[in-house]
Amino acid sequence: MDAELYKLENQIEQLIGLYETCKADGRELRARLARLEAENRVLADKVRLATSRLESVLEQLPES
């Protein structure tokens, strides 16, 4: 009986450890996602600006 309780206790401790690891991983992934989304917004703005500038330059070119 004691051996079974000891085994169960160890399994519960392992489960708690895995839960804590997954919880920390989830926090890190959410933070990384937020950083990447912000970076993506900045890059999208730069692409829009470059597209606008390029269209402006193309409009100024004489037609052949």
Side-chain angles (χ1 to χ4, degrees), residues 13-44:
E13 287 175 2
Q14 288 176 347
L15 184 59
I16 291 170
L18 288 172
Y19 167 77
E20 292 296 332
T21 299
C22 288
K23 191 173 161 183
D25 288 348
R27 277 192 303 267
E28 289 174 19
L29 288 171
R30 282 189 294 277
R32 181 172 182 233
L33 177 61
R35 285 191 308 271
L36 290 172
E37 286 175 336
E39 183 180 340
N40 189 41
R41 283 190 296 274
V42 169
L43 292 173

